[in-house]
């Protein structure tokens, strides 16, 4: 069994620190400004392994004393999504941190319907099958979202 979902009690600060380091490298490579607000939104998304809505981000920023309007959060999310630093989970209208922002990929998202955690897998066989099917009908892929809902290991065993 793969460790897609982190074990309970893992060092989450390490996840956030690693994600920030990767984000900074991507921004540097793309010559993109990782502003304080973009960094804050990114960090809030990485605070858990759950998908976070724009309004949850807005509430968290407000609770920290930030005076932020929804368009500011949406602009930060657009920036982060365009650089591949976060993914939008369509069915939840929420965002989740990407742990592979330095390479283009078609991810598959496992969403636990009990605890709300999300994990990303990259199965090249599945990705290649999607690409092949698209090519077979002359279709140009602009975005792909594969969402699989069920129970993570922790929730399934309780």
């Amino acid at each position: 069994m793969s460790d897609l979902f982190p074990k309970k009690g893992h060092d989450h600060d390490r996840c956030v620190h690693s994600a920030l380091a990767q984000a900074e490298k991507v921004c540097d490579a793309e010559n993109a400004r990782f502003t304080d607000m973009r960094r804050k939104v990114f960090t809030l998304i990485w605070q858990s392994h759950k998908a976070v809505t724009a309004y949850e981000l807005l509430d968290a920023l407000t609770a920290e004393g930030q005076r932020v309007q929804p368009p500011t959060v949406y602009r930060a999310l657009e920036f982060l999504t365009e650089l591949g630093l976060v993914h939008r989970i369509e069915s939840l209208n929420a965002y989740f941190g990407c742990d592979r922002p330095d390479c283009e990929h078609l991810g598959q998202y496992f969403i636990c319907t009990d605890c709300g955690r999300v994990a990303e897998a990259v199965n090249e066989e599945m990705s290649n099958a999607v690409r092949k099917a698209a090519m077979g009908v002359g279709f140009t892929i602009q975005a792909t979202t594969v969402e699989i809902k069920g129970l993570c290991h922790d929730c399934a065993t309780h």
Side-chain angles (χ1 to χ4, degrees), residues 16-46 75-81 83-86 98 101:
V16 174
H17 182 72
S18 175
L20 277 168
Q22 284 186 302
E24 288 168 357
K25 285 180 186 174
V26 169
C27 288
D28 286 347
E30 295 294 324
N31 200 25
R33 290 187 57 231
F34 200 32
T35 64
D36 289 342
M37 181 54 63
R38 292 169 178 169
R39 178 183 303 274
K40 188 66 183 160
V41 168
F42 181 80
T43 301
L44 286 170
I45 290 170
W46 273 92
R75 281 192 300 272
L77 289 169
E78 181 180 3
F79 171 88
L80 296 170
T81 302
L83 285 181
L85 298 173
V86 301
C98 176

Side-chain angles (χ1 to χ4, degrees), residues 66-143:
Q66 302 270 341
R67 293 177 54 146
V68 181
Q69 297 298 313
T72 303
V73 173
Y74 281 109
R75 281 192 300 272
L77 289 169
E78 181 180 3
F79 171 88
L80 296 170
T81 302
E82 285 177 3
L83 285 181
L85 298 173
V86 301
H87 297 296
R88 184 168 180 265
I89 304 298
E90 304 286 336
S91 66
L92 302 175
N93 194 23
Y95 298 84
F96 172 73
C98 176
D99 62 0
R100 297 172 186 86
D102 53 346
C103 64
E104 188 175 324
H105 59 277
L106 301 178
Q108 298 87 40
Y109 310 105
F110 292 86
I111 304 164
C112 182
T113 56
D114 191 20
C115 70
R117 291 189 301 167
V118 178
E120 179 181 13
V122 177
N123 180 305
E124 284 304 320
E125 289 177 20
M126 183 183 291
S127 298
N128 288 336
V130 170
R131 288 182 189 106
K132 184 177 178 181
M135 284 177 27
V137 296
F139 188 80
T140 301
I141 297 174
Q142 293 178 331

